[in-house]
Amino acid sequence: MGRAAEILGTTPGFLRSLDEAKLITPQRSAGGHRRYSRYQLRIAARAREIVDQGTPLDAACRIIILEDQLEEALRINAELRRDHPS
């Protein structure tokens, strides 16, 4: 967790708060250390960016979830258009 926080320029406490908010759920090593995927680090970086702009953490988490849902919907839409042209 310390290394992930260092990479993101944030604190381990911030990463724990994202875990507590259920925005990201890191895997655990055999020793119990949190292990973050690249995707989770991108999400955490986005959360930090939004929070740094003055948005409360719970609202930042909701924004990120909505952004993720929109991205997935756009991907599915593009796929459907490709597979079923008008």
Side-chain angles (χ1 to χ4, degrees), residues 21-66:
K22 305 282 190 251
L23 183 63
I24 56 175
T25 305
Q27 297 294 315
R28 295 283 185 152
S29 70
H33 299 283
R34 288 174 174 90
R35 300 184 63 113
Y36 297 93
S37 68
R38 285 185 177 96
Y39 173 75
Q40 289 172 329
L41 290 176
R42 282 195 307 271
I43 294 292
R46 179 68 178 130
R48 180 173 181 258
E49 177 184 319
I50 296 170
V51 168
D52 285 352
Q53 293 173 357
T55 304
L57 182 62
D58 60 333
C61 291
R62 187 70 186 135
I63 289 167
I64 291 166
I65 290 166
L66 290 170

